[in-house]
Amino acid sequence: MSQTPDFLDGNAAAGELQSVFGTDMTMASGRCRGCDEEMVLAQAHAYLGGPGMVLRCPGCEGVLMRLVRSPSQMWLDAGGLAYVQMPVPA
Amino acid sequence: MARAAVPRRLGGRLRWKPARLTDRRVESQVARTLVFEVPDWPGHLAGQHVDVRLTAEDGYSTQRSYSLASAADGEHVELTVQRVDDGEVSPYLTEDLAVGDVVELRGPVGGWFVWRPEQKEPILLVGGGSGLVPLMAMIRMRRAVGSRTPFRLVYSVRSPEHQLFVSELRLDDPGLDKTYLYSRSTPPQWPRPPGRFTASDLSSAGWPPDFEPTCYVCGSTGFVETAAGLLVALGHHPARIRTERFGPSQ
Ligand SMILES: Cc1cc2nc3c(=O)[nH]c(=O)nc-3n(C[C@H](O)[C@H](O)[C@H](O)COP(=O)(O)OP(=O)(O)OC[C@H]3O[C@@H](n4cnc5c(N)ncnc54)[C@H](O)[C@@H]3O)c2cc1C
Ligand SMILES: [Zn+2]
């Protein structure tokens, strides 16, 4: 039996991302620094089960973005993305 | 009270809003539709979801995502939740939450897995189990706006007892073709024996890739992997396939 991958779509992270960025980040487009694939973040692979949130590239599985929250701090690493183009916050 | 002239449909920093359960309907043996009243609900697009947060008296809180099942309708929001037997949240929502109880919602969110009535291309909806929910929102939206866009629905479900929205989908929606595939047990005298769905199921019930349909695939992670893989193998362009993974396969 093949194993079911344990990720969701970037779309499943829409609520968390929007509460942080103030805009619909699932429709933000970006380019993976690792393999140059372009995508909207809704198509990224989202790993939400851990202490933070990790978005990985659907092309090469490289980490695009990590977001970890504590009650008072947030830690964001988006170093896997060469750029992000996002809708202007309302 | 005066309302903003242009409701913010998408975007805006999200806050948790209280939502009061006003009604519940039995949808299948294991699924319930929950109707919530959410003051100042801004409306939503078919296919969007909300995050639902539950907080216990000792302060412990947990959240899950649920698709919006209904076409936008004022301050009422409908979610259809299927019980996962060993789950933490879904048994609570389907069995314990009572009319009058309040939960918190965040949304609507997600602008990717949505169908907009302006879209003119044919649509293929492929749902597994509770993955029918956001696809049903698209079917309801299509009906609500009187769209003639041709839709085909391929719904894979374990057994007739697990089937969602049975009586509503029995109604005639001109231009909506429906195909049901049962994986474990079928209704009496059903021509196709129970079993996993295959490429030939999808090629006979879906659209030829030349028609350039947009395909929406939703269900458990395993279902989505399989169905999206079959669509690509049949020649559908990956850019025309939109997926919504609901979580691990049981
Ligand atoms: C964007 C999005 C929209 C969703 N919309 C809906 C919806 O409209 N209706 C709906 O019923 N569900 C929907 N889900 C799934 C829902 O968020 C929960 O995962 C599901 O209700 C199970 O939660 P739980 O707390 O009961 O189970 P958990 O306590 O989280 O998990 C218990 C066990 O069930 C497994 N499990 C977790 N999720 C699922 C699942 N979806 N299917 C099967 N097994 C699972 C886990 O691996 C674990 O073994 C959606 C998920 C996403 C990401
Ligand atoms: Zn990559």
Side-chain angles (χ1 to χ4, degrees):
Chain A
M1 269 295 284
S2 67
Q3 229 191 316
T4 303
D6 55 353
F7 61 82
L8 300 172
D9 302 279
N11 205 36
E16 187 67 5
L17 290 171
Q18 191 166 325
S19 74
V20 170
F21 290 92
T23 188
D24 177 18
M25 290 298 285
T26 64
M27 291 303 277
S29 47
R31 187 168 69 225
C32 172
R33 210 182 272 289
C35 71
D36 281 346
E37 176 145 330
E38 310 235 3
M39 75 210 89
V40 297
L41 293 189
Q43 295 171 296
H45 294 172
Y47 294 78
L48 307 177
M53 193 193 86
V54 179
L55 293 185
R56 288 179 177 271
C57 173
C60 72
E61 283 294 318
V63 174
L64 300 173
M65 187 189 278
R66 269 194 218 100
L67 182 66
V68 182
R69 240 182 217 266
S70 80
S72 60
Q73 303 282 313
M74 265 184 16
W75 193 76
L76 171 70
D77 163 9
L81 285 162
Y83 74 85
V84 184
Q85 183 185 23
M86 62 180 100
V88 172
Chain B
M1 229 183 76
R3 299 269 298 273
V6 181
R8 274 188 335 215
R9 300 190 72 87
L10 291 169
R13 204 167 294 269
L14 281 182
R15 279 184 292 113
W16 293 99
K17 315 179 202 6
R20 198 169 59 86
L21 188 71
T22 58
D23 195 12
R24 51 191 305 140
R25 295 197 299 269
V26 173
E27 214 60 72
S28 79
Q29 228 172 53
V30 292
R32 304 288 179 268
T33 290
L34 307 176
V35 184
F36 291 98
E37 189 177 71
V38 190
D40 294 322
W41 181 250
H44 59 266
L45 304 173
Q48 288 191 296
H49 67 270
V50 292
D51 295 331
V52 176
R53 181 163 75 179
L54 302 174
T55 305
E57 276 170 23
D58 64 6
Y60 167 77
S61 94
T62 189
Q63 69 190 58
R64 296 290 183 280
S65 298
Y66 291 98
S67 300
L68 292 152
S70 44
D73 167 28
E75 301 195 328
H76 284 99
V77 163
E78 291 187 14
L79 309 180
T80 299
V81 179
Q82 180 159 308
R83 190 181 72 225
V84 171
D85 280 333
D86 59 344
E88 184 184 9
V89 170
S90 59
Y92 180 82
L93 291 176
T94 51
E95 274 130 61
D96 302 337
L97 193 72
V99 168
D101 286 351
V102 173
V103 301
E104 289 174 289
L105 296 188
R106 180 170 74 180
V109 294
W112 170 249
F113 194 82
V114 301
W115 176 74
R116 292 179 165 83
E118 309 87 270
Q119 288 174 236
K120 289 295 169 252
E121 76 282 9
I123 298 298
L124 174 62
L125 307 176
V126 182
S130 56
L132 180 59
V133 176
L135 310 180
M136 193 67 199
M138 298 176 190
I139 290 169
R140 287 170 166 164
M141 175 68 83
R142 175 183 185 275
R143 192 189 303 139
V145 301
S147 161
R148 291 158 171 235
T149 298
F151 270 39
R152 287 188 178 168
L153 168 68
V154 182
Y155 180 32
S156 167
V157 66
R158 199 180 307 181
S159 70
E161 293 73 39
H162 285 79
Q163 218 169 318
L164 298 175
F165 313 119
V166 176
S167 49
E168 187 175 338
L169 282 175
R170 211 176 274 140
L171 301 174
D172 191 33
D173 268 305
L176 166 66
D177 296 332
K178 297 158 266 194
T179 303
Y180 301 114
L181 305 170
Y182 299 91
S183 59
R184 304 254 181 96
S185 66
T186 68
Q189 274 98 52
W190 195 257
R192 180 188 179 277
R196 305 196 66 173
F197 75 97
T198 62
S200 78
D201 289 324
L202 269 181
S203 65
S204 56
W207 300 102
D210 295 353
F211 286 31
E212 303 197 329
T214 297
C215 309
Y216 295 86
V217 182
C218 185
S220 69
T221 298
F223 176 85
V224 169
E225 292 292 306
T226 307
L230 291 174
L231 287 171
V232 171
L234 288 171
H236 292 273
H237 196 283
R240 308 200 74 91
I241 303 172
R242 300 192 176 205
T243 60
E244 179 95 291
R245 291 172 174 83
F246 271 13
S249 302
Q250 279 162 307

